[in-house]
Amino acid sequence: SLCLNSKGDVLAAACLDKLYGYGIMYQIKVRKLEGHVDVVKSIDFSPDGKFLASGSKDKKVIVWDVDKKIQVS
């Protein structure tokens, strides 16, 4: 899955059991989030871009605080 935040400056990519954030303007990896134990099937940013939700085949939905790089649920 791929998802662009509302500002259009960060692209989130789900790759197997990890999530990556890429700064579009500078084409750099800005974040790596680990928490799932199986393939991530879907991701989406909150409207304000502060949170990212991910759903996985491990039957978990995780909400991430994008700035702090931590799970909030």
Side-chain angles (χ1 to χ4, degrees):
S1 285
L2 297 172
C3 185
L4 190 63
N5 73 349
S6 59
K7 293 180 185 177
D9 61 351
V10 176
L11 176 70
C15 218
L16 298 177
D17 61 344
K18 295 172 184 61
L19 301 172
Y20 297 91
Y22 295 93
I24 300 299
M25 187 173 211
Y26 302 106
Q27 298 178 354
I28 57 168
K29 182 168 45 173
V30 293
R31 291 174 179 74
K32 179 179 177 183
L33 304 173
E34 298 184 49
H36 289 289
V37 294
D38 206 340
V39 176
V40 176
K41 299 296 282 182
S42 61
I43 54 176
D44 199 7
F45 282 101
S46 63
D48 61 7
K50 292 181 180 182
F51 299 97
L52 179 70
S54 58
S56 170
K57 285 183 74 175
D58 61 13
K59 300 180 183 173
K60 292 194 308 185
V61 173
I62 298 177
V63 178
W64 307 87
D65 182 310
V66 174
D67 291 330
K68 295 178 183 176
K69 304 179 201 172
I70 60 169
Q71 296 179 30
V72 293
S73 73

